[in-house]
Amino acid sequence: MRHNKAINHLGRKSGHRKALLSNMASSLILNKRIVTTVAKAKALKPYVEPLITKSKEDTTHSRRIVFSYLKSKEAVTELFRNIAPKVANRPGGYCRILHVGFRQGDAAEMALIELVDFNEAALASAPKEAKKTTRRSRAKKAEAAPAVEAPAAEAPAVEAPAAE
């Protein structure tokens, strides 16, 4: 039975697993999305999300804690400069895991893990939908207003030739 076995060891010893997660987290931070197996993506998400939360407070102490996990100066700099300001008002859930099918060689289930606020396609489609709803509500008001004004404008035009 698997009682109280919360961590997925990914078939590796602890040092190898820590290095794997550190490298994957650095790649995710630098590239904003990576393709990996579902098991590794599920193990990476709880590893990287506390680091992103820690990056919201830009202090030397938090930078050192994050560096102890990532072991990459470039990743720490990217996290604190670009990612932290963008997720500052998000209360959590910085990563998204999308299943993308099976790997050709061994049929392992693959997943795309990405940072939610850096998906340009999803961000581009979301504001368009919001604008459409506001346009529709304004369009109904705009259609109603000219319809009322149009008969008033036509009435004097009809009356003017009748007066002549």
Side-chain angles (χ1 to χ4, degrees):
M1 285 192 246
R2 286 194 72 247
H3 295 306
N4 296 328
K5 309 273 188 208
I7 187 169
N8 185 351
H9 298 290
L10 301 172
R12 291 162 172 82
K13 303 282 182 166
S14 65
H16 189 186
R17 187 172 53 253
K18 287 176 186 173
L20 171 85
L21 291 173
S22 174
N23 289 331
M24 287 178 59
S26 296
S27 296
L28 178 64
I29 289 167
L30 293 174
N31 299 320
K32 311 301 184 271
R33 67 173 57 175
I34 55 174
V35 177
T36 183
T37 62
V38 172
K40 288 178 188 173
K42 286 182 177 180
L44 179 62
K45 190 173 179 179
Y47 184 87
V48 77
E49 288 200 353
L51 299 179
I52 296 173
T53 302
K54 183 65 80 173
S55 73
K56 289 181 179 182
E57 184 183 351
D58 191 4
T59 61
T60 304
H61 181 63
S62 61
R63 280 182 178 262
R64 285 178 177 168
I65 290 173
V66 170
F67 181 77
S68 73
Y69 283 91
L70 295 179
K71 299 177 179 58
S72 168
K73 288 182 184 179
E74 295 82 15
V76 171
T77 304
E78 177 74 15
L79 180 62
F80 279 87
R81 279 197 190 149
N82 300 333
I83 295 172
K86 219 167 185 183
V87 300
N89 56 0
R90 182 179 285 276
Y94 312 110
C95 298
R96 173 187 300 134
I97 297 175
L98 301 169
H99 296 260
V100 294
F102 297 93
R103 189 161 48 200
Q104 186 74 30
D106 60 353
E109 193 173 2
M110 300 300 286
L112 175 99
I113 182 167
E114 65 182 0
L115 297 176
V116 172
D117 291 324
F118 291 88
N119 185 350
E120 292 84 17
L123 292 176
S125 66
K128 289 181 184 176
E129 293 172 10
K131 288 180 183 177
K132 287 182 182 177
T133 56
T134 55
R135 285 183 189 158
R136 286 185 193 142
S137 63
R138 289 181 188 157
K140 289 178 185 175
K141 291 177 185 175
E143 289 173 7
V148 174
E149 293 174 11
E154 291 174 19
V158 173
E159 292 176 25
E164 290 179 279

